[in-house]
Amino acid sequence: LTMAALVTIPLFIHDENGYGLNCRGDIINADCGNRVGSFYGYVQRKHWNVGFLRYFQLRQIPNFLLATPILIYSGSGAWNWVRISWKKQPEALKAKCGVSRLFNWAIWALRQSKVEDEIVYSSPDTLYRPTMLAHYAILAIAALLGFTMAHVQISTRLICSTCPAIYWQLARPYVSMKQNATKTGHTTATLWDPIATAFLGIYIVVGTIIHVNFLPWT
């Protein structure tokens, strides 16, 4: 609780300063009658049109297309963690069904995220170990917020700068290919290999050129 307070107190002070500067005397530049919530959130809503599903407009389709690759990779990364964790749950939990199994799996997954046990994973699956739950949860939340709340085109830089799990997801095809080469003596490319390579190449080269020239990219 102390650590949480240390994080939130500066935000509270910042919001109060914002309301104080914009809600005094004849100066009313904010929602002064409703001081519950973030002042920065008010600024985002009023000036940048940030809010739940506010960006879902026909004219924003190009921006959604721009964010599609990173959102797909993020979603598939979070789904892979869930899928592998679900598959590795003990037989006692698999015997249950419906909501009961889902609830018990969630409790089991949370416990596994704290202490690694003796579950054996194949090489690609090591990218989705139980202890990585926090990373994939952050990845899923960032992707969901980018898609539903923020200006969707910032999703690429938001996720790539805050979520290590996205790089593990991008690395999965190459880890699988290396493992197959070790077992069979030859490499087998998948559909995702050229797609991931093209995406990274375009993002690094074209993105750098466009972004530094103040053109819309991310």
Side-chain angles (χ1 to χ4, degrees), residues 15-16 18-24 27-47 54:
D15 284 339
E16 285 301 306
Y19 281 117
L21 291 172
N22 290 273
C23 300
R24 54 188 174 85
I27 302 175
I28 300 179
N29 296 321
D31 188 8
C32 300
N34 180 22
R35 298 183 64 160
V36 178
S38 170
F39 176 75
Y40 184 57
Y42 162 79
V43 173
Q44 287 184 309
R45 288 192 302 273
K46 180 177 180 180
H47 299 285
R54 287 194 174 192

Side-chain angles (χ1 to χ4, degrees), residues 170-179 192-194 196-198 200:
L170 289 168
R172 178 180 170 84
Y174 302 99
V175 174
S176 300
M177 188 168 58
K178 185 176 180 180
Q179 184 188 34
W192 288 106
D193 297 339
T197 303
L200 292 173

Side-chain angles (χ1 to χ4, degrees), residues 119-136:
I119 296 178
V120 178
Y121 293 86
S122 61
S123 180
D125 288 356
T126 59
L127 299 171
Y128 307 99
R129 293 193 303 274
T131 50
M132 294 179 173
L133 168 60
H135 293 288
Y136 284 100

Side-chain angles (χ1 to χ4, degrees), residues 81-82 85-86 89 93 100-109:
W81 189 94
V82 171
S85 177
W86 183 268
Q89 62 184 300
L93 294 182
S100 176
R101 180 180 178 183
L102 181 63
F103 177 78
N104 283 281
W105 163 77
I107 298 298
W108 174 82

Side-chain angles (χ1 to χ4, degrees), residues 21-176:
L21 291 172
N22 290 273
C23 300
R24 54 188 174 85
D26 295 332
I27 302 175
I28 300 179
N29 296 321
D31 188 8
C32 300
N34 180 22
R35 298 183 64 160
V36 178
S38 170
F39 176 75
Y40 184 57
Y42 162 79
V43 173
Q44 287 184 309
R45 288 192 302 273
K46 180 177 180 180
H47 299 285
W48 300 335
N49 196 34
V50 172
F52 183 66
L53 302 185
R54 287 194 174 192
Y55 224 55
F56 279 58
Q57 304 171 15
L58 289 177
R59 62 192 179 92
Q60 301 298 346
I61 289 178
N63 287 322
F64 275 92
L65 293 176
L66 190 62
T68 294
I70 201 69
L71 293 176
I72 289 176
Y73 274 112
S74 300
S76 61
W79 169 250
N80 280 335
W81 189 94
V82 171
R83 176 179 58 83
I84 291 171
S85 177
W86 183 268
K87 184 173 62 176
K88 297 294 183 179
Q89 62 184 300
E91 292 298 328
L93 294 182
K94 293 181 180 179
K96 299 180 181 295
C97 60
V99 177
S100 176
R101 180 180 178 183
L102 181 63
F103 177 78
N104 283 281
W105 163 77
I107 298 298
W108 174 82
L110 285 172
R111 290 174 177 170
Q112 291 298 113
S113 69
K114 297 179 180 179
V115 180
E116 188 90 38
D117 64 2
E118 299 299 323
I119 296 178
V120 178
Y121 293 86
S122 61
S123 180
D125 288 356
T126 59
L127 299 171
Y128 307 99
R129 293 193 303 274
T131 50
M132 294 179 173
L133 168 60
H135 293 288
Y136 284 100
I138 292 172
L139 177 63
I141 292 171
L144 185 62
L145 289 177
F147 182 66
T148 62
M149 296 287 292
H151 290 182
V152 70
Q153 69 268 26
I154 74 166
S155 297
T156 302
R157 75 168 182 261
L158 169 68
I159 292 171
C160 288
S161 63
T162 60
C163 304
I166 190 63
Y167 298 101
W168 303 333
Q169 174 62 17
L170 289 168
R172 178 180 170 84
Y174 302 99
V175 174
S176 300

